């Protein structure tokens, strides 16, 4: 009898029979008899077999199901490495956010505590003005914020057709003095905001920045009266706005 086993690594290769223990078939059976009929092949193990620079996946009948090349295995390895790097990146990002959270909380706390401090500063300025009639003039020499420069700054914010009314209000309220303080009420700045720290809506530098004060004044006139012209009309009737 002639027995033919599945050959995966080449005809007659001993490696082809490593998992079966069956020797290569000859022209005669172990009993010495011979037969013209071919013996049935012995099924091979299902699984990957490396051959010729590639990986073959064989079925239990020894037939090839799919061949995976070395290049594909290399790409799969690169993909796996990429997923590993991505995982490490996410871990580092999480750690970074954990470290940043206390800083952000501290910043929020600082901003929250800023408003009371501004209120205290406004009260201090009011007390300073009450104690000395010349305090505002001392704080603001004319050469630091000359009136023409302040009006030019205001023109960059207020439309030309509203500027006349805006100019009248600021002139009557503070005479265009950035550090002007009302000794009785504590109103402060070009527009005499009351309380003064309301101007913080436009920026934390409202105490000394005329641009911040002017932006707040224009916004206030629009929100409360509709326009600087309407605010000036009210002012003329009540001597305040």
């Amino acid at each position: 009898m002639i027995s033919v086993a599945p050959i995966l690594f080449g005809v007659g290769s001993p490696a082809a029979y490593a998992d079966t223990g069956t020797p290569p078939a000859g022209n005669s059976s172990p009993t010495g008899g011979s037969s013209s009929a071919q013996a049935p092949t012995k099924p091979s193990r299902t699984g990957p077999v490396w051959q010729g620079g590639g990986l073959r996946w064989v079925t239990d009948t020894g037939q090839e199901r799919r061949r995976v090349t070395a290049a594909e295995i290399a790409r799969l390895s690169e993909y796996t490495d990429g997923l590993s790097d991505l995982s490490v990146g996410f871990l580092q990002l999480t750690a970074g956010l954990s470290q940043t959270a206390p800083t952000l909380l501290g910043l929020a706390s600082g901003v929250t505590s800023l408003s009371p401090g501004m209120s205290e500063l406004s009260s201090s300025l009011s007390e300073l003005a009450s104690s000395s009639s010349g305090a505002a003039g001392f704080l603001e020499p004319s050469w630091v914020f000359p009136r023409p420069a302040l009006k030019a700054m205001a023109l960059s914010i207020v439309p030309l057709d509203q500027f006349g009314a805006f100019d009248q209000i600021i002139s009557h309220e503070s005479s265009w003095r950035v550090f002007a303080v009302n000794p009785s009420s504590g109103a402060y700045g070009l527009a005499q905001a009351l309380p003064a720290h309301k101007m913080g809506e436009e920026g934390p530098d409202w105490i000394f920045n005329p641009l911040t004060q002017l932006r707040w004044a224009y916004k206030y006139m629009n929100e409360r009266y509709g326009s600087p012209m309407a605010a000036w009309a009210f002012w003329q009737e009540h001597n305040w706005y």
Side-chain angles (χ1 to χ4, degrees):
M1 178 181 292
I2 300 174
S3 175
V4 181
I7 299 175
L8 298 178
F9 292 91
V11 177
S13 170
Y17 305 94
D19 60 347
T20 63
T22 304
N27 292 327
S28 62
S29 67
T31 60
S34 63
S35 174
S36 59
Q38 189 178 37
T41 59
K42 183 178 179 62
S44 66
R45 182 179 56 188
T46 300
V49 177
W50 188 265
Q51 181 181 12
L55 190 66
R56 293 179 183 273
W57 189 276
V58 297
T59 65
D60 57 0
T61 62
Q63 294 183 354
E64 179 181 320
R65 178 175 294 178
R66 187 175 186 278
R67 179 188 176 100
V68 182
T69 66
E72 289 175 325
I73 295 175
R75 285 197 295 271
L76 180 61
S77 177
E78 291 175 359
Y79 175 73
T80 305
D81 291 342
L83 288 178
S84 177
D85 292 342
L86 183 62
S87 176
V88 172
F90 274 119
L91 289 175
Q92 291 175 345
L93 177 62
T94 303
L97 290 176
S98 283
Q99 295 174 357
T100 305
T103 303
L104 293 177
L105 290 174
L107 179 62
S109 176
V111 171
T112 302
S113 62
L114 181 63
S115 180
M118 293 298 184
S119 297
E120 292 177 6
L121 180 58
S122 176
S123 299
S124 299
L125 289 172
S126 178
E127 293 174 3
L128 177 62
S130 300
S131 63
S132 174
S133 60
F138 174 76
L139 288 172
E140 185 179 18
S142 59
W143 53 268
V144 176
F145 296 115
R147 185 177 300 186
L150 292 173
K151 290 189 176 184
M153 195 179 295
L155 277 169
S156 69
I157 301 170
V158 183
L160 188 60
D161 62 334
Q162 296 289 325
F163 181 76
F166 186 88
D167 181 19
Q168 288 287 351
I169 293 176
I170 301 301
S171 295
H172 281 79
E173 288 291 326
S174 65
S175 298
W176 287 90
R177 290 182 293 117
V178 175
F179 300 103
V181 181
N182 186 311
S184 59
S185 68
Y188 178 79
L190 292 166
Q192 289 293 279
L194 183 66
H197 64 79
K198 288 197 300 184
M199 291 187 288
E201 299 169 2
E202 293 301 309
D205 56 352
W206 57 269
I207 296 175
F208 56 84
N209 190 341
L211 186 61
T212 300
Q213 294 188 14
L214 290 169
R215 285 174 178 162
W216 179 87
Y218 181 58
K219 177 182 176 182
Y220 171 79
M221 294 177 197
N222 282 326
E223 290 182 349
R224 186 173 178 87
Y225 300 101
S227 68
M229 290 183 68
W232 173 233
F234 182 92
W235 197 99
Q236 291 178 89
E237 186 176 349
H238 300 89
N239 290 324
W240 62 273
Y241 78 117

